[in-house]
Amino acid sequence: MKNGLLPSRLFAVEWYLKARMKQVCVLALLALVPQVGLARDYSIGAAPAWVQRIAVEAGTAKPVAEISDGVFDLLNDKQVRIDDGELQGFYHFAVRAESDKGLDRVASITIGFDPAYQTLTLHTLNVIRKGQVISHLRTATVRVLQRETELEARIFDGRKTASIFLEDVRVGDVVEYAYSLKGSNPVFGGRHFGGMNIGWSVPVARNYGRLLVQNGRSIQLKYHLTKLQPVEKNAGKFHEYIWDIRNQAPIHVDSDVPGWYDPYPWVQWTEFGDWGSVAHWAEGLYRTPASMSPALQEVVDRLKQNVKPSERAIAALQFVQREIRYLGVEIGVGSHAPSSPELVLKRRFGDCKDKTLLTVTLLRALGIDAHPALVNTEIQRGILEQPPSPGVFNHVIVQARADDRVYWLDPTRELQTGTLNTISQPDFGQTLLVDAKTRDLTPMDTRAETRLRSRQIVAEFNARNGLDKPLVYTVTTRAEGEGAEILRSNLSSGTHDWMQKEFLNFYARYYPGIEIAAPFEVVDDARENRISVIEHYRIKDFWKHNDERKRLEATSYVPDMEDMLKQPHATLRSDPLLLQHPVDVTVNSVWLLPEEWTLTPDSENIDDPAFKFEHHLSLVDNKRKVVETDHFVSRADFVAGADAQRYAANLEKARQALGITLSMRDAVAGEPAQAANPPGIMERFNWSIAMLALTLTALLIWLAQRLYRYDPVPGAVTDPGIQGIGGWLLLPALGIFVQPLKILKDLVDLAPSYAADTWMQLTTAGQPSYHAMWAPTLLFELTANLGLLVFSVLLLILFVKKRSSLPYVFVAFQVGALLVTVTDNLVANLIPAVKQTSAISNWAVAIKQGISLAIWGSYFMMSQRVKSTFVHTLRARKATTTQPQIEQNLTGQE
């Protein structure tokens, strides 16, 4: 079953668990089953007579821009026939090696099948080279192996793989192969289901699907993201469906998408009429025994010692979780049919089906209403898009009613030691209850408080012994709900020393001088499903001396919260982004200081549709304790692709709020050292940047004065009636008046980036936020904004004076603003943090500026109102309009 781990050092042991699980599985299965060697579990023969022959078009031109793995799929041909309940499938493929990269894929062919009920026949194995067909059907190396791909999940299914290796395959060769599989799993009672993909992640020249259904059999089709309809006709005693698609472009899917998200079009078919018929099928498999064996009755009698139904239910669940280890032998009908409860109890192992039926048997014997519930742990609520069939589900759990409440129980989980009200259960969205009354899917609707991954962390930085002494660092982590069960499981999976080393290395990334002061402690309240881990460390040389600023400095980090606020792998996306949910994490970072401190309280609240983040910084305990509280609560399990940029930007804002830096100024002339947090205004003032800004402003004003003297000849006034500010001219007029204020605001917002401490963090190599492009980017933005401010003021003056140069300066200003935005985007996007949080929004600004330039630039150059209004010049000129001469003279006296 799928369980995500919380992102912290307490939940970062998944690889260890997998390695240990694999070792256990191998040892167990070696004791259960014989070794399988090479075998000829296949035959060679002609394709069945009912198959429609589809030719390979080896010369099809490749779509160069869409080839990514060196292979072009020329043909995907799938044909299925249902005859008297017998299922036959014919599969025909042709792939061409377009480069060296694709040779391995086309030269190695694997075919999976279940020998318990399927027979494999190879029909075609050709290499087509420059029009010549070379058959390898009788000469190729074919090995049939029992690979057990689910072994790490402790599932033994008996499936085999025919692996075919071709020699002498070259770039440009087409490999064509065809085979058929005959037979179906008898567990489905002669009813069948299947489907055909209509979209792929790679380009496909031809995708051919054919379904033959014996007349009289009832079948339904369901389509997903496609309106493609089959060509239907009667073919003797069969009804035929054909789908034939050519030149399919690939469908690219972003990383980290939810399991329920399926962007690939498909058509599926099923002989199960509705979900009720699937439940009826499953009911025949999950029948509890009519009478209890002595061994089962002994367990029931022991469990009956609990009085309340809820206590009996949790006792039965814990018995199965503790006493029946997880191991699945799913050969043939065992893929869907559970073993008898008596057998499972006797051999003390079973898979989800076996453990569920045993649990339901015990619960019903204890007087508790219980039913198996089929779920899909991957696609979860995506089941609603699927047609009814047993193939939709990959897991089964238990629904139980006790004390007038509904509970969902999973016997395959590790031992859950809490009560029925405190143990956790993920919400898989939709379930199919195995019950005669079932007619449709049932939403799980598990209680949020039990599936919540809740953690409260207190990180104490104790410097009461003095700033020259090692800092005492204590971290207390308390987890509840599902978070407690994951933490408890991880702690029990490794040795104490190994876990201690993992914890230490986690913090060493932030504090190089850290060492263990005492072994970590565990306080486990199993009944309430809470667990606490207390870690003890010392950090040497925690306070560092800053020679340039003449002070001691120390910085604390919030590692657990930083993990919660990690940037997504890809934010420029169209597909939804999977998120952890529900999650509630609080981190309190507490500084215990040796003397009174100065501190400016600080708060930050970020209210995103996907999460809420709160940050508070305060000074308490007679100014000797600093407390930083950071709280994160998830609100959704995914973010739409269009909102990923917004989500990432808010994550970055939250990350910027994390951590505290305290400082102590050096003593002067025998005076005691003084706490210096936060630095004052003058201390943060960046004199170098300020002098540069003043110099640039003076130069820009000089350039503006030169441009002010630009005095083009006014245009001829063709209609004195449309002179003045009116009509469409009112819109750009408003923008001209507001522009200087907007640019000034942008400069004010940008100013903190030039503060001395911030500038040092961004532009000094070795600092956490350093990047080589920060300095040129910030200097360009300073110069550009000052230039836009000065020339926007000039533009306003020319507009008010109705100068003849206004239209030309307006257009030049708009062009300059667009060039500034484009250049700033190109330069700033070289910085990863900027690119992730603002790439789309900044380019959207550039597009808007381009549209505005096209519209209003044309207007100012062509409008008769503009030509009739902006006619004043700086110097007197010979009259060129129909205006009275006295107005010309006045204009010349500006």
Side-chain angles (χ1 to χ4, degrees):
M1 192 179 69
K2 182 180 178 182
N3 274 328
L5 297 183
L6 295 183
S8 77
R9 82 284 179 202
L10 295 174
F11 300 90
V13 293
E14 186 176 15
W15 67 268
Y16 177 86
L17 294 175
K18 287 184 176 180
R20 187 171 181 231
M21 180 183 292
K22 183 175 181 180
Q23 183 184 40
V24 172
C25 296
V26 171
L27 293 175
L29 291 177
L30 286 177
L32 286 171
V33 298
Q35 295 295 305
V36 181
L38 302 181
R40 189 178 175 86
D41 290 61
Y42 67 94
S43 61
I44 296 176
W50 60 266
V51 170
Q52 179 72 47
R53 302 287 181 172
I54 303 297
V56 176
E57 300 171 1
T60 304
K62 67 176 179 180
V64 178
E66 298 172 354
I67 297 294
S68 60
D69 59 356
V71 171
F72 182 28
D73 288 74
L74 296 173
L75 177 65
N76 285 339
D77 174 12
K78 177 180 180 180
Q79 303 182 40
V80 176
R81 188 179 81 158
I82 304 174
D83 185 8
D84 292 328
E86 183 180 71
L87 185 68
Q88 295 185 55
F90 173 79
Y91 308 90
H92 181 200
F93 303 97
V95 292
R96 187 171 66 206
E98 303 291 353
S99 67
D100 294 343
K101 184 179 179 181
L103 287 176
D104 286 340
R105 179 185 157 188
V106 302
S108 299
I109 301 168
T110 57
I111 302 170
F113 64 102
D114 193 326
Y117 55 83
Q118 286 180 317
T119 58
L120 168 65
T121 303
L122 302 181
H123 307 303
T124 304
L125 185 56
N126 295 330
V127 173
I128 305 174
R129 179 177 301 153
K130 297 180 180 180
Q132 181 183 2
V133 178
I134 307 169
S135 177
H136 290 257
L137 185 60
R138 303 283 177 179
T139 59
T141 301
V142 181
R143 292 186 174 90
V144 178
L145 307 173
Q146 195 158 344
R147 300 179 64 184
E148 295 302 339
T149 57
E150 297 294 319
L151 190 61
E152 286 192 14
R154 288 185 278 190
I155 295 175
F156 178 76
D157 60 16
R159 288 182 62 84
K160 293 187 178 183
T161 300
S163 297
I164 305 173
F165 304 94
L166 294 174
E167 298 179 356
D168 189 23
V169 178
R170 309 172 190 178
V171 173
D173 286 354
V174 174
V175 174
E176 176 194 12
Y177 62 98
Y179 63 92
S180 62
L181 294 173
K182 185 176 180 180
S184 60
N185 196 329
V187 76
F188 300 124
R191 281 183 286 184
H192 306 289
F193 51 89
M196 170 187 171
N197 290 330
I198 296 177
W200 301 77
S201 61
V202 295
V204 179
R206 188 175 185 184
N207 191 10
Y208 184 86
R210 181 168 175 253
L211 174 64
L212 292 171
V213 182
Q214 186 179 13
N215 292 331
R217 299 185 71 94
S218 177
I219 194 169
Q220 60 172 304
L221 302 177
K222 184 164 186 178
Y223 294 87
H224 176 71
L225 299 180
T226 181
K227 295 181 179 180
L228 178 69
Q229 294 297 313
V231 176
E232 296 186 52
K233 67 177 182 179
N234 287 320
K237 70 172 185 175
F238 296 95
H239 190 75
E240 182 180 62
Y241 304 82
I242 294 178
W243 297 267
D244 196 356
I245 311 109
R246 292 179 178 270
N247 301 319
Q248 285 182 281
I251 298 173
H252 300 292
V253 183
D254 296 319
S255 60
D256 303 320
V257 298
W260 51 260
Y261 177 69
D262 184 3
Y264 297 102
W266 45 252
V267 57
Q268 292 191 33
W269 49 271
T270 178
E271 290 191 293
F272 288 86
D274 53 29
W275 289 114
S277 64
V278 180
H280 179 72
W281 160 82
E283 188 185 14
L285 303 178
Y286 284 90
R287 288 197 178 97
T288 56
S291 60
M292 303 289 284
S293 68
L296 281 172
Q297 190 60 52
E298 180 185 351
V299 174
V300 171
D301 292 341
R302 194 187 324 152
L303 296 175
K304 280 184 177 178
Q305 297 175 7
N306 298 282
V307 178
K308 295 179 63 177
S310 59
E311 294 174 348
R312 290 183 173 185
I314 190 64
L317 174 68
Q318 291 171 347
F319 171 81
V320 177
Q321 289 178 336
R322 180 180 58 249
E323 300 294 334
I324 311 299
R325 70 186 188 277
Y326 186 87
L327 182 64
V329 181
E330 302 183 351
I331 301 174
V333 296
S335 62
H336 290 76
S339 301
S340 70
E342 182 179 2
L343 176 60
V344 173
L345 181 63
K346 178 181 179 180
R347 66 188 185 185
R348 297 283 170 153
F349 72 78
D351 60 11
C352 63
K353 304 182 301 297
D354 304 329
K355 299 185 75 167
T356 288
L357 182 55
L358 174 59
T359 304
V360 170
T361 299
L362 295 176
L363 291 175
R364 290 179 180 177
L366 292 167
I368 298 171
D369 184 27
H371 299 277
L374 304 176
V375 299
N376 191 304
T377 60
E378 297 296 328
I379 65 173
Q380 300 185 2
R381 61 179 178 264
I383 290 177
L384 294 171
E385 296 294 319
Q386 304 289 322
S389 81
V392 170
F393 307 101
N394 69 350
H395 189 46
V396 58
I397 58 177
V398 176
Q399 185 206 62
R401 295 179 180 270
D403 298 339
D404 297 324
R405 293 189 65 175
V406 174
Y407 297 93
W408 300 92
L409 313 175
D410 190 342
T412 66
R413 300 192 66 173
E414 291 191 33
L415 180 63
Q416 296 175 287
T417 54
T419 66
L420 209 57
N421 289 317
T422 61
I423 63 172
S424 73
Q425 173 57 49
D427 191 338
F428 297 129
Q430 298 290 325
T431 73
L432 184 70
L433 293 180
V434 181
D435 183 8
K437 301 177 183 178
T438 296
R439 295 294 179 268
D440 206 346
L441 297 171
T442 300
M444 280 189 65
D445 193 25
T446 58
R447 291 172 296 126
E449 64 269 21
T450 62
R451 57 189 176 91
L452 178 67
R453 297 183 179 185
S454 174
R455 281 182 293 153
Q456 300 85 42
I457 301 161
V458 177
E460 184 182 88
F461 301 82
N462 191 338
R464 291 279 166 85
N465 292 332
L467 304 187
D468 58 338
K469 300 292 192 301
L471 181 117
V472 178
Y473 182 43
T474 306
V475 182
T476 302
T477 301
R478 174 180 168 180
E480 301 178 78
E482 186 172 358
E485 293 180 7
I486 295 174
L487 176 55
R488 189 179 292 114
S489 173
N490 290 340
L491 287 171
S492 66
S493 65
T495 65
H496 188 283
D497 290 343
W498 181 83
M499 295 296 295
Q500 180 73 80
K501 184 178 180 181
E502 289 296 301
F503 294 168
L504 179 64
N505 285 327
F506 176 80
Y507 288 114
R509 293 181 294 169
Y510 300 89
Y511 309 113
I514 194 169
E515 60 184 22
I516 299 170
F520 71 85
E521 309 161 53
V522 178
V523 179
D524 192 352
D525 184 350
R527 182 172 178 80
E528 295 300 322
N529 204 12
R530 301 190 189 107
I531 186 170
S532 297
V533 176
I534 304 98
E535 304 167 65
H536 306 277
Y537 304 99
R538 284 186 301 270
I539 305 177
K540 296 179 179 179
D541 301 322
F542 188 72
W543 293 83
K544 310 290 184 182
H545 193 269
N546 188 321
D547 296 333
E548 180 179 348
R549 297 187 176 185
K550 296 182 173 55
R551 67 184 189 185
L552 285 174
E553 296 177 341
T555 299
S556 64
Y557 302 92
V558 193
D560 291 86
M561 191 61 71
E562 285 188 15
D563 281 346
M564 292 304 308
L565 300 173
K566 279 183 178 178
Q567 285 289 322
H569 178 70
T571 57
L572 298 174
R573 59 193 298 133
S574 57
D575 301 321
L577 173 68
L578 177 66
L579 305 180
Q580 290 189 74
H581 180 72
V583 176
D584 189 328
V585 178
T586 301
V587 181
N588 287 304
S589 302
V590 181
W591 287 69
L592 304 180
L593 301 166
E595 57 189 82
E596 290 188 2
W597 218 264
T598 58
L599 181 78
T600 302
D602 179 37
S603 293
E604 179 77 49
N605 292 304
I606 297 174
D607 205 0
D608 187 270
F611 72 93
K612 184 176 183 181
F613 174 78
E614 297 173 299
H615 164 85
H616 299 287
L617 184 62
S618 59
L619 189 62
V620 296
D621 190 20
N622 296 321
K623 300 182 180 181
R624 297 180 66 225
K625 180 191 289 187
V626 176
V627 179
E628 176 190 1
T629 300
D630 298 292
H631 183 210
F632 176 94
V633 179
S634 66
R635 288 176 164 172
D637 58 2
F638 77 98
V639 170
D643 298 327
Q645 284 285 313
R646 179 217 71 220
Y647 169 72
N650 284 332
L651 284 180
E652 185 60 26
K653 288 181 183 177
R655 283 178 65 88
Q656 293 299 323
L658 298 177
I660 313 172
T661 297
L662 299 182
S663 59
M664 173 75 74
R665 287 196 296 269
D666 294 346
V668 178
E671 297 179 1
Q674 297 181 350
N677 185 73
I681 295 177
M682 296 306 295
E683 188 176 4
R684 298 193 72 213
F685 193 79
N686 194 330
W687 291 98
S688 300
I689 295 297
M691 293 302 297
L692 175 62
L694 288 174
T695 303
L696 288 171
T697 303
L699 176 62
L700 291 166
I701 292 175
W702 176 77
L703 291 173
Q705 288 177 329
R706 295 289 298 264
L707 184 57
Y708 181 79
R709 298 192 186 100
Y710 174 54
D711 221 16
V713 177
V717 179
T718 58
D719 185 359
I722 60 172
Q723 284 184 310
I725 310 302
W728 287 107
L729 187 57
L730 286 171
L731 292 177
L734 178 63
I736 290 172
F737 275 87
V738 172
Q739 192 74 26
L741 297 177
K742 183 178 181 299
I743 297 172
L744 184 61
K745 179 183 179 301
D746 291 341
L747 273 169
V748 172
D749 292 342
L750 193 62
S753 300
Y754 301 97
D757 52 348
T758 304
W759 179 265
M760 181 189 69
Q761 290 280 340
L762 297 175
T763 63
T764 304
Q767 293 294 327
S769 301
Y770 169 76
H771 192 279
M773 288 304 299
W774 268 124
T777 299
L778 290 173
L779 291 176
F780 172 79
E781 291 182 349
L782 177 64
T783 304
N785 279 284
L786 288 173
L788 291 174
L789 178 63
V790 169
F791 286 101
S792 68
V793 173
L794 171 64
L795 188 63
L796 178 59
I797 295 172
L798 296 176
F799 183 86
V800 171
K801 289 181 175 292
K802 299 179 181 177
R803 288 280 300 279
S804 62
S805 59
L806 183 280
Y808 305 100
V809 176
F810 176 86
V811 174
F813 181 85
Q814 295 294 322
V815 172
L818 176 59
L819 291 175
V820 165
T821 302
V822 171
T823 304
D824 186 43
N825 285 354
L826 293 174
V827 175
N829 283 351
L830 297 175
I831 305 172
V834 176
K835 183 177 181 180
Q836 287 182 340
T837 58
S838 61
I840 287 181
S841 58
N842 285 350
W843 284 114
V845 171
I847 292 172
K848 291 178 182 178
Q849 288 178 326
I851 295 173
S852 176
L853 173 61
I855 295 173
W856 295 112
S858 302
Y859 175 78
F860 270 83
M861 291 293 100
M862 300 170 61
S863 170
Q864 292 301 317
R865 179 180 290 276
V866 171
K867 293 178 181 178
S868 300
T869 300
F870 298 99
V871 295
H872 295 185
T873 57
L874 183 62
R875 293 169 294 279
R877 293 180 181 274
K878 184 177 180 179
T880 59
T881 72
T882 59
Q883 291 177 294
Q885 184 63 41
I886 183 65
E887 184 176 338
Q888 295 290 331
N889 292 337
L890 290 174
T891 302
Q893 294 175 6
E894 284 187 2

